[in-house]
Amino acid sequence: TSFALSKPFTESLITWFKPSYIVTHCNFFSLQHNAKVAVLGASGGIGQPLSLLLKNSPLVSELSLYDIAHTPGVAADLSHIETRATVTGYVGADQLGDALKGCEVVVIPAGVPRKPGMTRDDLFNTNATIVATLADACARHCPQAMICIISNPVNSTIPITSEVMKKHGVYNPNRVFGVTTLDIVRANTFVAELKGLDPARVNVPVVGGHAGKTIIPLISRCTPKVEFPADQLSALTGRIQEAGTEVVKAKAGAGSATLSMAYAGARFTFSLLDAMNGKEGVVECAFVRSEETECKYYSTPLLLGKNGIEKNLGLGKLSVFEEKLVAEAMDELKGSIKKGEDFVANMK
Ligand SMILES: NC(=O)c1ccc[n+]([C@@H]2O[C@H](COP(=O)([O-])OP(=O)(O)OC[C@H]3O[C@@H](n4cnc5c(N)ncnc54)[C@H](O)[C@@H]3O)[C@@H](O)[C@H]2O)c1
Ligand SMILES: *[C@@H]1O[C@H](CO)[C@@H](O)[C@H](O)[C@H]1NC(C)=O
Ligand SMILES: *[C@@H]1O[C@H](CO)[C@@H](O)[C@H](O)[C@H]1NC(C)=O
């Protein structure tokens, strides 16, 4: 006796057992439903609302909250929210390792605000030391995780994180991000305001660094296409670059942007998780190790994928106005990058 398998049946067998199909679908279930995300500095002005937004997302199954104070309370509070993510609070250096074990994404908004008598250098050194300590713990306990740094100065904390990971031999430049999303969020909002558009549908790439003149919104590449007379374009660019000051002034001594930053940090994290889950065409700008300009670290649009940066999309075509801004920012940015690298080189 003999029988032949019908063609459609064999074809469907091949489809079902094609390795790529199985891999895609296993990832779909295992990653999408098991993303463990840590927030380091979770009790702070940014940390708390950021943790709330992450707890609210179906992309997160475990939320690990670390700080040097108050995390048990923040975690207990968030844990009553009727979403799937389990929330655990870790407090103090002894618990940092446990907070990081098994994490796929680590978001870092830790810092110490200026205290009376602190010099500019003191201010730099405190956050730099905190970020170096936290990066060191990531290198030991979750070397494969995506690390998203919010702590300022981002222009130096990304070089610091990279150098610390290098010291441990676990540096992967595709997995270390300086979160500049707030600059993009502000640019989208301000352009939408001026043009009467829905801000959710506006997208302005922002390149360069993450402070003052180094923040370079590419209005010429906005979607949908928008045009402004020269004076308005220059005022809009200035407003995006100094938007942080608007918030600091309005808060009158009670801190800087926290709620909009939490939104921006969550937006970046969700994009990354989507891309890690296999979603295609996810693009975000971030400050990363870069070969796109003469600056060693630079923010440009990045195509994200399962392993972090899949492709750096580069600066692309710039207007004459934007080319000038890029050129003017270069030397200043290089200085702050060197400052971050020197900081790690001089650590014992
Ligand atoms: N990337 C951006 O666009 C952007 C925007 C706004 C603010 N920031 C930066 O984000 C950081 C946090 O700002 P914030 O307003 O939430 O400050 P915050 O002072 O309210 O919170 C910082 C938190 O970090 C915690 N912390 C201090 N030392 C720590 C350590 N060693 N380990 C873990 N946690 C530690 C503090 O206890 C506090 O809860 C700052 O560096 C700020 O400059 C970045
Ligand atoms: C360090 O972090 C604090 C918030 O904790 C922030 O207010 C301060 O501006 C940061 N320092 C620098 C140098 O950016
Ligand atoms: C780096 O960032 C800090 C604050 O975030 C800023 O004061 C400094 O001017 C920046 N340097 C450069 C070169 O952008």
Tab-separated table of all heavy atoms in Angstrom, residues 228-283:
chain	number	residue	atom	x	y	z
A	228	PHE	N	8.050	76.906	8.727
A	228	PHE	CA	7.998	78.113	9.559
A	228	PHE	C	8.900	79.170	8.942
A	228	PHE	O	9.953	78.843	8.392
A	228	PHE	CB	8.524	77.810	10.974
A	228	PHE	CG	7.695	76.810	11.742
A	228	PHE	CD1	8.051	75.465	11.780
A	228	PHE	CD2	6.551	77.218	12.425
A	228	PHE	CE1	7.296	74.541	12.491
A	228	PHE	CE2	5.789	76.302	13.145
A	228	PHE	CZ	6.156	74.969	13.181
A	229	PRO	N	8.507	80.457	9.063
A	229	PRO	CA	9.440	81.519	8.672
A	229	PRO	C	10.671	81.481	9.585
A	229	PRO	O	10.585	80.969	10.718
A	229	PRO	CB	8.642	82.813	8.890
A	229	PRO	CG	7.389	82.442	9.598
A	229	PRO	CD	7.226	80.956	9.563
A	230	ALA	N	11.798	81.999	9.092
A	230	ALA	CA	13.090	81.874	9.796
A	230	ALA	C	13.030	82.293	11.262
A	230	ALA	O	13.560	81.596	12.137
A	230	ALA	CB	14.160	82.661	9.053
A	231	ASP	N	12.364	83.429	11.555
A	231	ASP	CA	12.369	83.903	12.951
A	231	ASP	C	11.582	82.956	13.858
A	231	ASP	O	11.977	82.674	14.989
A	231	ASP	CB	11.836	85.340	13.041
A	231	ASP	CG	10.439	85.492	12.449
A	231	ASP	OD1	10.048	84.639	11.603
A	231	ASP	OD2	9.725	86.444	12.815
A	232	GLN	N	10.478	82.421	13.338
A	232	GLN	CA	9.664	81.499	14.136
A	232	GLN	C	10.390	80.164	14.341
A	232	GLN	O	10.338	79.572	15.420
A	232	GLN	CB	8.325	81.273	13.418
A	232	GLN	CG	7.183	81.014	14.380
A	232	GLN	CD	5.870	80.700	13.660
A	232	GLN	OE1	5.805	80.681	12.432
A	232	GLN	NE2	4.833	80.444	14.437
A	233	LEU	N	11.103	79.738	13.297
A	233	LEU	CA	11.867	78.481	13.385
A	233	LEU	C	12.952	78.603	14.449
A	233	LEU	O	13.154	77.679	15.264
A	233	LEU	CB	12.503	78.163	12.023
A	233	LEU	CG	13.374	76.917	11.978
A	233	LEU	CD1	12.542	75.658	12.242
A	233	LEU	CD2	14.091	76.787	10.646
A	234	SER	N	13.596	79.739	14.481
A	234	SER	CA	14.676	79.920	15.437
A	234	SER	C	14.125	80.030	16.865
A	234	SER	O	14.684	79.456	17.809
A	234	SER	CB	15.494	81.128	14.963
A	234	SER	OG	15.955	81.851	16.011
A	235	ALA	N	12.971	80.681	17.029
A	235	ALA	CA	12.347	80.780	18.358
A	235	ALA	C	11.863	79.403	18.833
A	235	ALA	O	12.050	79.028	19.999
A	235	ALA	CB	11.176	81.758	18.315
A	236	LEU	N	11.267	78.643	17.921
A	236	LEU	CA	10.775	77.295	18.255
A	236	LEU	C	11.934	76.386	18.664
A	236	LEU	O	11.862	75.671	19.680
A	236	LEU	CB	10.040	76.712	17.030
A	236	LEU	CG	9.673	75.230	17.072
A	236	LEU	CD1	8.686	74.946	18.203
A	236	LEU	CD2	9.054	74.802	15.724
A	237	THR	N	13.028	76.450	17.902
A	237	THR	CA	14.218	75.651	18.222
A	237	THR	C	14.736	76.015	19.612
A	237	THR	O	15.010	75.132	20.429
A	237	THR	CB	15.307	75.870	17.146
A	237	THR	OG1	14.755	75.510	15.874
A	237	THR	CG2	16.548	75.042	17.416
A	238	GLY	N	14.809	77.310	19.887
A	238	GLY	CA	15.262	77.778	21.197
A	238	GLY	C	14.335	77.307	22.306
A	238	GLY	O	14.799	76.913	23.383
A	239	ARG	N	13.038	77.321	22.071
A	239	ARG	CA	12.094	76.891	23.108
A	239	ARG	C	12.287	75.405	23.436
A	239	ARG	O	12.268	75.006	24.598
A	239	ARG	CB	10.649	77.142	22.668
A	239	ARG	CG	9.700	76.832	23.798
A	239	ARG	CD	8.229	77.050	23.474
A	239	ARG	NE	7.458	76.642	24.655
A	239	ARG	CZ	6.208	76.216	24.630
A	239	ARG	NH1	5.551	76.143	23.475
A	239	ARG	NH2	5.602	75.843	25.737
A	240	ILE	N	12.519	74.589	22.396
A	240	ILE	CA	12.736	73.147	22.621
A	240	ILE	C	14.028	72.942	23.419
A	240	ILE	O	14.069	72.158	24.370
A	240	ILE	CB	12.779	72.390	21.269
A	240	ILE	CG1	11.422	72.475	20.567
A	240	ILE	CG2	13.205	70.929	21.464
A	240	ILE	CD1	11.434	72.111	19.091
A	241	GLN	N	15.067	73.714	23.065
A	241	GLN	CA	16.363	73.555	23.748
A	241	GLN	C	16.306	73.974	25.212
A	241	GLN	O	16.988	73.404	26.049
A	241	GLN	CB	17.429	74.387	23.012
A	241	GLN	CG	17.742	73.836	21.630
A	241	GLN	CD	18.641	74.750	20.816
A	241	GLN	OE1	18.607	75.977	20.966
A	241	GLN	NE2	19.435	74.165	19.923
A	242	GLU	N	15.472	74.958	25.526
A	242	GLU	CA	15.425	75.491	26.894
A	242	GLU	C	14.138	75.120	27.625
A	242	GLU	O	13.789	75.739	28.628
A	242	GLU	CB	15.596	77.017	26.855
A	242	GLU	CG	16.979	77.477	26.372
A	242	GLU	CD	18.135	76.888	27.181
A	242	GLU	OE1	17.961	76.681	28.402
A	242	GLU	OE2	19.195	76.598	26.589
A	243	ALA	N	13.437	74.117	27.127
A	243	ALA	CA	12.129	73.772	27.709
A	243	ALA	C	12.245	73.311	29.157
A	243	ALA	O	11.340	73.521	29.964
A	243	ALA	CB	11.452	72.693	26.862
A	244	GLY	N	13.373	72.699	29.499
A	244	GLY	CA	13.590	72.263	30.877
A	244	GLY	C	13.523	73.450	31.842
A	244	GLY	O	12.954	73.352	32.930
A	245	THR	N	14.078	74.584	31.418
A	245	THR	CA	14.102	75.795	32.246
A	245	THR	C	12.682	76.319	32.493
A	245	THR	O	12.383	76.814	33.580
A	245	THR	CB	14.954	76.879	31.552
A	245	THR	OG1	16.187	76.270	31.162
A	245	THR	CG2	15.239	78.039	32.471
A	246	GLU	N	11.813	76.202	31.476
A	246	GLU	CA	10.401	76.609	31.638
A	246	GLU	C	9.795	75.903	32.847
A	246	GLU	O	9.090	76.513	33.656
A	246	GLU	CB	9.577	76.163	30.410
A	246	GLU	CG	9.306	77.219	29.390
A	246	GLU	CD	8.515	76.675	28.189
A	246	GLU	OE1	7.493	75.974	28.362
A	246	GLU	OE2	8.929	76.972	27.056
A	247	VAL	N	10.068	74.613	32.967
A	247	VAL	CA	9.481	73.812	34.051
A	247	VAL	C	10.141	74.175	35.382
A	247	VAL	O	9.454	74.360	36.389
A	247	VAL	CB	9.621	72.298	33.760
A	247	VAL	CG1	9.019	71.473	34.888
A	247	VAL	CG2	8.963	71.949	32.431
A	248	VAL	N	11.463	74.299	35.371
A	248	VAL	CA	12.183	74.644	36.608
A	248	VAL	C	11.662	75.973	37.160
A	248	VAL	O	11.385	76.105	38.352
A	248	VAL	CB	13.707	74.698	36.353
A	248	VAL	CG1	14.446	75.317	37.536
A	248	VAL	CG2	14.244	73.295	36.080
A	249	LYS	N	11.473	76.959	36.282
A	249	LYS	CA	10.978	78.277	36.720
A	249	LYS	C	9.565	78.161	37.265
A	249	LYS	O	9.250	78.701	38.330
A	249	LYS	CB	11.003	79.261	35.550
A	249	LYS	CG	12.379	79.853	35.323
A	249	LYS	CD	12.297	81.047	34.354
A	249	LYS	CE	13.682	81.588	34.049
A	249	LYS	NZ	13.776	82.136	32.686
A	250	ALA	N	8.705	77.471	36.550
A	250	ALA	CA	7.298	77.358	36.971
A	250	ALA	C	7.184	76.599	38.290
A	250	ALA	O	6.315	76.894	39.109
A	250	ALA	CB	6.473	76.676	35.881
A	251	LYS	N	8.056	75.637	38.525
A	251	LYS	CA	8.017	74.872	39.780
A	251	LYS	C	8.641	75.666	40.931
A	251	LYS	O	8.512	75.278	42.089
A	251	LYS	CB	8.703	73.510	39.623
A	251	LYS	CG	7.903	72.532	38.752
A	251	LYS	CD	8.321	71.076	38.936
A	251	LYS	CE	7.399	70.150	38.134
A	251	LYS	NZ	7.755	68.725	38.280
A	252	ALA	N	9.310	76.748	40.598
A	252	ALA	CA	9.836	77.709	41.568
A	252	ALA	C	10.510	77.070	42.778
A	252	ALA	O	10.089	77.262	43.915
A	252	ALA	CB	8.709	78.652	42.017
A	253	GLY	N	11.522	76.259	42.505
A	253	GLY	CA	12.301	75.694	43.605
A	253	GLY	C	11.880	74.281	43.985
A	253	GLY	O	12.531	73.622	44.789
A	254	ALA	N	10.773	73.804	43.410
A	254	ALA	CA	10.290	72.463	43.766
A	254	ALA	C	10.746	71.404	42.758
A	254	ALA	O	10.118	70.360	42.621
A	254	ALA	CB	8.773	72.472	43.892
A	255	GLY	N	11.843	71.675	42.044
A	255	GLY	CA	12.413	70.640	41.188
A	255	GLY	C	12.280	70.908	39.706
A	255	GLY	O	11.943	72.016	39.282
A	256	SER	N	12.561	69.875	38.912
A	256	SER	CA	12.556	70.007	37.451
A	256	SER	C	11.482	69.091	36.868
A	256	SER	O	10.644	68.571	37.591
A	256	SER	CB	13.946	69.677	36.906
A	256	SER	OG	14.365	68.417	37.367
A	257	ALA	N	11.533	68.886	35.552
A	257	ALA	CA	10.507	68.064	34.888
A	257	ALA	C	10.516	66.643	35.446
A	257	ALA	O	11.558	65.985	35.441
A	257	ALA	CB	10.775	68.044	33.397
A	258	THR	N	9.394	66.196	35.950
A	258	THR	CA	9.305	64.826	36.462
A	258	THR	C	8.179	64.060	35.758
A	258	THR	O	8.370	62.927	35.330
A	258	THR	CB	9.038	64.807	37.981
A	258	THR	OG1	7.899	65.621	38.268
A	258	THR	CG2	10.241	65.326	38.757
A	259	LEU	N	7.000	64.695	35.615
A	259	LEU	CA	5.850	63.978	35.054
A	259	LEU	C	6.021	63.763	33.556
A	259	LEU	O	5.830	62.643	33.051
A	259	LEU	CB	4.557	64.750	35.359
A	259	LEU	CG	4.317	64.965	36.862
A	259	LEU	CD1	3.139	65.892	37.105
A	259	LEU	CD2	4.107	63.625	37.576
A	260	SER	N	6.423	64.835	32.835
A	260	SER	CA	6.638	64.679	31.399
A	260	SER	C	7.835	63.753	31.153
A	260	SER	O	7.853	63.001	30.180
A	260	SER	CB	6.849	66.040	30.733
A	260	SER	OG	7.828	66.794	31.422
A	261	MET	N	8.829	63.802	32.051
A	261	MET	CA	9.986	62.905	31.905
A	261	MET	C	9.570	61.455	32.141
A	261	MET	O	10.047	60.538	31.461
A	261	MET	CB	11.111	63.316	32.862
A	261	MET	CG	12.368	62.470	32.729
A	261	MET	SD	13.048	62.448	31.055
A	261	MET	CE	12.983	60.707	30.664
A	262	ALA	N	8.686	61.239	33.119
A	262	ALA	CA	8.201	59.879	33.366
A	262	ALA	C	7.476	59.356	32.128
A	262	ALA	O	7.679	58.217	31.695
A	262	ALA	CB	7.269	59.869	34.575
A	263	TYR	N	6.637	60.219	31.530
A	263	TYR	CA	5.935	59.834	30.294
A	263	TYR	C	6.951	59.462	29.214
A	263	TYR	O	6.828	58.422	28.554
A	263	TYR	CB	5.023	60.977	29.801
A	263	TYR	CG	4.560	60.745	28.395
A	263	TYR	CD1	3.449	59.936	28.134
A	263	TYR	CD2	5.276	61.246	27.308
A	263	TYR	CE1	3.060	59.662	26.822
A	263	TYR	CE2	4.904	60.969	26.007
A	263	TYR	CZ	3.794	60.181	25.764
A	263	TYR	OH	3.430	59.896	24.479
A	264	ALA	N	7.962	60.321	29.036
A	264	ALA	CA	8.952	60.102	27.974
A	264	ALA	C	9.753	58.820	28.233
A	264	ALA	O	10.026	58.049	27.306
A	264	ALA	CB	9.880	61.308	27.870
A	265	GLY	N	10.127	58.588	29.513
A	265	GLY	CA	10.873	57.372	29.855
A	265	GLY	C	10.039	56.130	29.590
A	265	GLY	O	10.549	55.111	29.107
A	266	ALA	N	8.747	56.210	29.895
A	266	ALA	CA	7.859	55.070	29.645
A	266	ALA	C	7.699	54.846	28.142
A	266	ALA	O	7.767	53.722	27.661
A	266	ALA	CB	6.496	55.316	30.293
A	267	ARG	N	7.549	55.946	27.385
A	267	ARG	CA	7.410	55.803	25.929
A	267	ARG	C	8.631	55.081	25.355
A	267	ARG	O	8.509	54.157	24.552
A	267	ARG	CB	7.249	57.186	25.275
A	267	ARG	CG	7.431	57.127	23.768
A	267	ARG	CD	7.246	58.440	23.054
A	267	ARG	NE	8.121	58.430	21.877
A	267	ARG	CZ	8.097	59.347	20.921
A	267	ARG	NH1	7.265	60.352	20.990
A	267	ARG	NH2	8.932	59.259	19.897
A	268	PHE	N	9.828	55.493	25.790
A	268	PHE	CA	11.044	54.859	25.271
A	268	PHE	C	11.080	53.376	25.667
A	268	PHE	O	11.395	52.508	24.843
A	268	PHE	CB	12.300	55.580	25.759
A	268	PHE	CG	13.548	55.015	25.143
A	268	PHE	CD1	13.908	55.358	23.855
A	268	PHE	CD2	14.329	54.089	25.831
A	268	PHE	CE1	15.035	54.797	23.249
A	268	PHE	CE2	15.451	53.528	25.235
A	268	PHE	CZ	15.812	53.886	23.942
A	269	THR	N	10.759	53.075	26.920
A	269	THR	CA	10.792	51.681	27.399
A	269	THR	C	9.799	50.818	26.616
A	269	THR	O	10.117	49.689	26.237
A	269	THR	CB	10.464	51.633	28.905
A	269	THR	OG1	11.343	52.536	29.588
A	269	THR	CG2	10.628	50.239	29.471
A	270	PHE	N	8.608	51.335	26.376
A	270	PHE	CA	7.596	50.553	25.639
A	270	PHE	C	8.063	50.310	24.199
A	270	PHE	O	7.849	49.219	23.657
A	270	PHE	CB	6.235	51.256	25.653
A	270	PHE	CG	5.649	51.410	27.040
A	270	PHE	CD1	4.826	52.481	27.348
A	270	PHE	CD2	5.931	50.488	28.044
A	270	PHE	CE1	4.296	52.637	28.630
A	270	PHE	CE2	5.405	50.624	29.328
A	270	PHE	CZ	4.584	51.708	29.622
A	271	SER	N	8.679	51.305	23.574
A	271	SER	CA	9.188	51.110	22.209
A	271	SER	C	10.227	49.992	22.198
A	271	SER	O	10.218	49.118	21.327
A	271	SER	CB	9.833	52.391	21.682
A	271	SER	OG	8.851	53.352	21.411
A	272	LEU	N	11.108	50.033	23.202
A	272	LEU	CA	12.161	49.018	23.287
A	272	LEU	C	11.543	47.628	23.495
A	272	LEU	O	11.922	46.664	22.813
A	272	LEU	CB	13.071	49.391	24.456
A	272	LEU	CG	14.453	48.785	24.542
A	272	LEU	CD1	15.231	48.989	23.258
A	272	LEU	CD2	15.214	49.430	25.703
A	273	LEU	N	10.577	47.526	24.391
A	273	LEU	CA	9.937	46.230	24.664
A	273	LEU	C	9.192	45.729	23.424
A	273	LEU	O	9.251	44.542	23.096
A	273	LEU	CB	8.973	46.345	25.854
A	273	LEU	CG	9.642	46.516	27.229
A	273	LEU	CD1	8.596	46.827	28.295
A	273	LEU	CD2	10.432	45.258	27.617
A	274	ASP	N	8.513	46.627	22.724
A	274	ASP	CA	7.830	46.252	21.484
A	274	ASP	C	8.830	45.658	20.494
A	274	ASP	O	8.587	44.610	19.892
A	274	ASP	CB	7.172	47.477	20.826
A	274	ASP	CG	5.786	47.777	21.395
A	274	ASP	OD1	5.165	46.863	21.981
A	274	ASP	OD2	5.330	48.928	21.243
A	275	ALA	N	9.957	46.350	20.317
A	275	ALA	CA	10.976	45.895	19.365
A	275	ALA	C	11.566	44.564	19.820
A	275	ALA	O	11.789	43.653	19.010
A	275	ALA	CB	12.071	46.947	19.225
A	276	MET	N	11.794	44.401	21.132
A	276	MET	CA	12.337	43.143	21.655
A	276	MET	C	11.353	41.995	21.430
A	276	MET	O	11.732	40.841	21.293
A	276	MET	CB	12.639	43.287	23.154
A	276	MET	CG	13.845	44.176	23.438
A	276	MET	SD	13.907	44.721	25.156
A	276	MET	CE	14.417	43.217	25.976
A	277	ASN	N	10.066	42.331	21.388
A	277	ASN	CA	9.027	41.324	21.148
A	277	ASN	C	8.848	41.011	19.669
A	277	ASN	O	7.971	40.239	19.303
A	277	ASN	CB	7.682	41.824	21.687
A	277	ASN	CG	7.630	41.761	23.195
A	277	ASN	OD1	8.328	40.969	23.801
A	277	ASN	ND2	6.804	42.610	23.788
A	278	GLY	N	9.639	41.662	18.802
A	278	GLY	CA	9.586	41.338	17.383
A	278	GLY	C	8.804	42.317	16.534
A	278	GLY	O	8.646	42.112	15.331
A	279	LYS	N	8.281	43.386	17.129
A	279	LYS	CA	7.584	44.378	16.315
A	279	LYS	C	8.582	45.032	15.371
A	279	LYS	O	9.705	45.343	15.771
A	279	LYS	CB	6.933	45.436	17.222
A	279	LYS	CG	6.100	46.455	16.466
A	279	LYS	CD	5.277	47.317	17.407
A	279	LYS	CE	4.628	48.468	16.662
A	279	LYS	NZ	3.905	49.370	17.571
A	280	GLU	N	8.191	45.230	14.128
A	280	GLU	CA	9.128	45.792	13.152
A	280	GLU	C	8.928	47.285	12.955
A	280	GLU	O	7.831	47.797	13.168
A	280	GLU	CB	8.981	45.039	11.829
A	280	GLU	CG	9.529	43.639	11.992
A	280	GLU	CD	9.589	42.840	10.709
A	280	GLU	OE1	9.369	43.413	9.630
A	280	GLU	OE2	9.850	41.629	10.830
A	281	GLY	N	9.992	47.946	12.551
A	281	GLY	CA	9.911	49.367	12.198
A	281	GLY	C	9.818	50.307	13.386
A	281	GLY	O	9.360	51.435	13.244
A	282	VAL	N	10.252	49.862	14.581
A	282	VAL	CA	10.213	50.746	15.751
A	282	VAL	C	11.446	51.656	15.734
A	282	VAL	O	12.578	51.174	15.752
A	282	VAL	CB	10.187	49.940	17.077
A	282	VAL	CG1	10.144	50.887	18.275
A	282	VAL	CG2	9.014	48.974	17.096
A	283	VAL	N	11.211	52.961	15.696
A	283	VAL	CA	12.314	53.930	15.643
A	283	VAL	C	12.191	54.916	16.799
A	283	VAL	O	11.114	55.453	17.045
A	283	VAL	CB	12.302	54.709	14.298
A	283	VAL	CG1	13.361	55.812	14.293
A	283	VAL	CG2	12.530	53.755	13.124
